[in-house]
């Protein structure tokens, strides 16, 4: 959390985002052998919806809107992620950015909407019928895992 902007971190109900909440993202930039173009891939795992230890408080509490616990932390994770990527964390400046992993949020929840509103597009049609899903647990299915691509690089990255 040392690199998270204070304006983001200060809104956390726990005082942290990555140190005990969402996992620290991992970024790598690769060069295509065919085109020599760069792509930065960022792997993510956002804080879960569960509150097994009873630590959720304030805006992180489940308010029965479907987002469950820690929606604020996951939203702040999206904000911190977008800001971090803007610093070119791998040292390679490229518009070809791919975010993938377990975002622990449904498509209409704040963490996903933040990414969509800030220059990323889903590689999966989130309005498709039947609704796409990435997990099946205890008889329930839904979409919590995604691949997002920087919108201006979408045609370059998605094949």
């Amino acid at each position: 959390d040392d690199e998270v902007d204070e304006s983001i971190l200060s809104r956390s109900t726990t005082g942290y985002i990555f140190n005990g909440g969402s996992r620290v993202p991992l970024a790598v930039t690769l060069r295509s052998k065919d085109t020599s173009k760069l792509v930065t891939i960022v792997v993510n795992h956002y804080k879960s919806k569960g509150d097994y230890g009873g630590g959720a408080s304030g805006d992180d509490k489940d308010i029965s809107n479907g987002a469950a616990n820690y929606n604020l932390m996951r939203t702040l994770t999206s904000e911190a992620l977008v800001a971090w990527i803007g610093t070119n964390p791998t040292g390679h400046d490229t518009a070809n950015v791919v975010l993938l992993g377990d975002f622990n949020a449904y498509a209409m929840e704040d963490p996903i909407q933040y990414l969509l509103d800030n220059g990323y597009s889903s590689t999966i049609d989130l309005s498709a019928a039947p609704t796409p899903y990435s997990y099946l647990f205890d008889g329930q299915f839904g979409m919590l895992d995604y691949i997002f691509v920087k919108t201006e690089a979408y045609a370059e990255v998605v094949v």
Side-chain angles (χ1 to χ4, degrees):
D1 286 333
D2 294 341
E3 295 181 27
V4 176
D5 187 283
E6 183 59 31
S7 68
I8 297 170
L9 192 58
S10 66
R11 296 185 350 248
S12 171
T13 63
T14 61
Y16 57 80
I17 295 173
F18 296 110
N19 295 342
S22 296
R23 295 182 188 155
V24 176
L26 175 66
V28 63
T29 298
L30 305 171
R31 182 179 306 278
S32 168
K33 283 182 156 184
D34 296 334
T35 66
S36 294
K37 292 185 179 180
L38 299 174
V39 61
T40 296
I41 300 169
V42 185
V43 181
N44 302 278
H45 191 149
Y46 283 24
K47 175 76 174 109
S48 72
K49 293 173 170 286
D51 186 28
Y52 308 108
S57 65
D59 288 340
D60 274 327
K61 291 287 286 179
D62 186 351
I63 59 171
S64 300
N65 66 354
N69 295 292
Y70 297 107
N71 184 57
L72 174 62
M73 182 177 292
R74 289 188 300 277
T75 303
L76 295 175
T77 300
S78 286
E79 291 181 33
L81 180 64
V82 168
W84 181 66
I85 291 166
T87 69
N88 297 320
T90 66
H92 298 282
D93 188 14
T94 178
N96 299 329
V97 177
V98 177
L99 311 177
L100 59 94
D102 184 351
F103 292 82
N104 270 316
Y106 297 108
M108 295 312 294
E109 291 179 18
D110 299 332
I112 303 306
Q113 289 302 303
Y114 185 86
L115 295 173
L116 296 174
D117 291 344
N118 284 276
Y120 289 87
S121 297
S122 175
T123 60
I124 298 166
D125 181 358
L126 300 176
S127 65
T131 303
Y133 62 94
S134 64
Y135 77 92
L136 172 62
F137 178 76
D138 202 21
Q140 302 288 322
F141 64 92
M143 183 78 151
L144 300 176
D145 311 285
Y146 302 88
I147 300 174
F148 295 101
V149 176
K150 194 77 172 153
T151 303
E152 65 263 21
Y154 192 88
E156 185 74 37
V157 176
V158 178
V159 182

